[in-house]
Amino acid sequence: FPAGVFALYLKRKYKIPYIATEHWSKFLPESAINFTNTELFLIKQIVRNAEFICPVSKNLKRAMLSMNLQGNYQIVPNVVDTKVFFPGKKISKPDKLSIVHISGMNDQIKNITGMLNAIKKAHSVNPNFKITFVGTNDFENYKQYADKIGIPKDIINFTGEVSYPEVAEIMRKHHALLMFSNYENAPCVISEALVSALPVISSNVGGIPEMIDATNGYLVQKQNEDELAQKIIEMIDNYSKFNTELIAKDAQQKYSYEIVGEKYLNLYERVLALQ
């Protein structure tokens, strides 16, 4: 919605079937968005009349069903361009672990201040890491907060916004991805990081536990800064135990254009076979 309204019109007027992909985190209960009665009616019609409705996670499917959005659901994950995102060469036991966070850096959603608190706690126990924040150019308040709580300037860097290829290049220069969101759907940045061979530390919210397990990262309770600090320390101590080559290979088998494209091709062929 609202793009699906046009597909619904084409189906009703010209009998053209459609398949809908759904990424929108606004369907999650934590987003607290209030749809008007007209919007909700149209969304229900779009979902019900789709030959397949394809959310990117089981969690999003559950959220949509909780809104009584009944339809023919098929889970198809987000896609990653593996020509842009791919592993870089890293040493397995670095002197300092390079961690990166990439987002729009909305504190209400991404909990940047919570991450900074955890980073301070982790650094007081094990200082052998550095952290880069990639995102909004409006990061001065976070930088001031990091200074206020005593995070050393030489371990933290804010890059501001960068281009899509630069995001991939930054990932290749880091060892792990850090997320601490209050709510999420199935973040593309996590699948991009996994394809780039980065294990992930993240809060256990939304569709993220469908992406992260003991083989490719750590999950923590949302807003639990002490647990996040502990997992940062564990990542520093145990990074060499992660099979980063296998992390990238497994992620490519889930998120590449070829794999996701094949899933959609199969759905379209099933629809066309019924026409």
Side-chain angles (χ1 to χ4, degrees):
F1 180 81
V5 174
F6 185 55
L8 180 64
Y9 165 78
L10 291 176
K11 180 173 183 179
R12 290 185 170 173
K13 185 171 179 63
Y14 300 108
K15 310 300 182 186
I16 300 173
Y18 64 91
I19 293 171
T21 299
E22 190 53 73
H23 306 247
W24 207 17
S25 61
K26 295 300 183 182
F27 286 124
L28 301 178
E30 297 89 343
S31 70
I33 189 171
N34 293 315
F35 294 104
T36 66
N37 289 336
T38 298
E39 288 171 340
L40 190 56
F41 172 79
L42 288 170
I43 291 168
K44 287 181 177 179
Q45 292 300 309
I46 293 163
V47 173
R48 184 179 295 115
N49 284 276
E51 303 301 312
F52 294 104
I53 179 76
C54 303
V56 293
S57 69
K58 295 175 184 176
N59 179 71
L60 183 56
K61 174 185 174 180
R62 289 192 293 269
M64 294 175 71
L65 286 172
S66 73
M67 295 175 60
N68 197 27
L69 301 180
Q70 300 297 326
N72 188 10
Y73 284 88
Q74 293 284 331
I75 309 301
V76 181
N78 282 315
V79 69
V80 176
D81 187 346
T82 53
K83 292 182 180 178
V84 177
F85 290 88
F86 52 85
K89 292 183 179 180
K90 304 183 185 75
I91 58 175
S92 61
K93 293 184 178 181
D95 293 333
K96 278 201 171 187
L97 195 76
S98 296
I99 302 171
V100 64
H101 171 81
I102 303 168
S103 75
M105 294 178 64
N106 179 319
D107 201 34
Q108 184 178 358
I109 300 172
K110 305 298 181 180
N111 196 5
I112 306 298
T113 53
M115 256 187 291
L116 292 172
N117 291 335
I119 288 164
K120 168 61 177 176
K121 292 176 182 180
H123 187 266
S124 66
V125 177
N126 189 336
N128 294 322
F129 73 97
K130 53 187 178 180
I131 177 84
T132 301
F133 284 86
V134 180
T136 177
N137 290 327
D138 185 21
F139 58 76
E140 191 58 36
N141 57 328
Y142 297 128
K143 193 173 182 180
Q144 290 176 2
Y145 184 76
D147 290 341
K148 178 182 176 182
I149 63 175
I151 297 176
K153 288 182 172 61
D154 62 342
I155 74 146
I156 190 166
N157 180 41
F158 295 86
T159 70
E161 294 180 18
V162 301
S163 68
Y164 189 65
E166 286 175 307
V167 168
E169 184 61 30
I170 287 171
M171 283 188 176
R172 283 190 284 277
K173 293 178 180 178
H174 287 75
H175 299 101
L177 177 75
L178 181 64
M179 300 282 287
F180 196 42
S181 302
N182 291 321
Y183 70 92
E184 285 284 1
N185 180 11
C188 290
V189 70
I190 289 182
S191 48
E192 290 163 351
L194 294 173
V195 166
S196 303
L198 274 66
V200 176
I201 307 170
S202 174
S203 48
N204 187 355
V205 295
I208 293 175
E210 299 170 42
M211 308 171 76
I212 302 300
D213 58 31
T215 68
N216 60 12
Y218 300 121
L219 292 172
V220 303
Q221 292 182 337
K222 71 176 183 179
Q223 299 181 346
N224 190 328
E225 296 172 5
D226 290 336
E227 188 179 13
L228 183 64
Q230 182 58 41
K231 292 305 179 184
I232 292 172
I233 294 165
E234 286 187 31
M235 183 64 76
I236 298 167
D237 293 338
N238 299 319
Y239 172 75
S240 62
K241 296 180 182 179
F242 284 99
N243 187 333
T244 54
E245 183 177 339
L246 185 59
I247 288 173
K249 183 178 179 180
D250 285 349
Q252 290 162 3
Q253 290 301 311
K254 294 177 182 177
Y255 307 118
S256 70
Y257 278 13
E258 291 78 12
I259 298 299
V260 176
E262 186 68 26
K263 290 180 183 293
Y264 276 116
L265 178 61
N266 289 338
L267 294 181
Y268 277 98
E269 286 177 338
R270 286 167 62 182
V271 172
L272 292 172
L274 298 175
Q275 302 308 303

